[in-house]
Amino acid sequence: MRREGNNIFLTLDEWQAAGLSYKTYENDRQRGYLQTANRACNGRGVEIIWQSIVKECRKLAIKGKLGDLEKKLLQNEIKRYIREDAELKTFFTDYELPDGQTLGEKDYKTAIKYYNNAILLKAIGVMLQSIKSEHKSKGNNI
């Protein structure tokens, strides 16, 4: 499964993993109930355009097996931008509380939770900046 522009592409393996047969795929394709992005040749598999699937029962079967595709792709996108940051980790573990103890000594779980939240926010910021620069390079306004 991948996203390109506004389209989500499913592989034939993902289609079959959802419990839908190859014969069902062939029938739907021939009747115009779905569209494919490419032919299966030169080592590439068929990719089905998610938005082109007409029959709601097919979409429900795929969602039942693979989950919400939009959320899954967004999670995968954010994962690309998450990076470890030693400086942030030391900041939260060495943060001095009013009683003189560091946050890492007093409550290590809370320090790690704050660190995880910080790197996630940093990743979201980098992702948004990347999206903005991509739009700008194409001459679009945001």
Side-chain angles (χ1 to χ4, degrees):
M1 174 175 26
R2 70 179 177 89
R3 176 192 299 273
E4 188 175 301
N6 291 331
N7 291 329
I8 297 174
F9 298 97
L10 298 171
T11 63
L12 191 55
D13 291 336
E14 291 166 334
W15 173 273
Q16 290 175 323
L20 302 169
S21 68
Y22 182 78
K23 188 73 173 164
T24 304
Y25 156 74
E26 279 292 319
N27 288 335
D28 284 0
R29 187 181 57 78
Q30 288 174 353
R31 292 185 176 136
Y33 295 151
L34 62 82
Q35 294 176 355
T36 57
N38 56 0
R39 292 180 24 214
C41 61
N42 297 329
R44 291 184 319 199
V46 171
E47 290 184 316
I48 302 163
I49 302 172
W50 167 255
Q51 291 83 351
S52 73
I53 299 173
V54 174
K55 293 203 168 191
E56 202 59 38
C57 60
R58 311 283 196 256
K59 285 187 172 187
L60 288 174
I62 293 168
K63 280 184 182 179
K65 182 65 178 180
L66 302 177
D68 188 4
L69 303 181
E70 292 283 338
K71 278 186 182 178
K72 199 173 243 186
L73 286 170
L74 182 61
Q75 288 172 350
N76 290 343
E77 180 113 5
I78 290 173
K79 281 181 186 177
R80 288 187 1 212
Y81 294 98
I82 293 177
R83 301 281 181 265
E84 292 289 325
D85 192 336
E87 188 177 318
L88 274 176
K89 194 169 196 169
T90 55
F91 172 79
F92 286 112
T93 54
D94 295 344
Y95 183 78
E96 193 171 316
L97 299 169
D99 63 359
Q101 286 185 316
T102 63
L103 187 59
E105 292 171 353
K106 189 167 187 173
D107 192 4
Y108 189 71
K109 284 184 180 180
T110 304
I112 293 300
K113 182 175 124 181
Y114 290 164
Y115 165 71
N116 288 337
N117 289 340
I119 63 170
L120 185 59
L121 286 172
K122 192 174 181 180
I124 290 170
V126 171
M127 183 179 81
L128 290 175
Q129 190 60 40
S130 170
I131 291 169
K132 284 181 183 179
S133 64
E134 184 181 328
H135 280 287
K136 264 190 176 177
S137 70
K138 293 178 181 176
N140 299 331
N141 289 332
I142 296 175

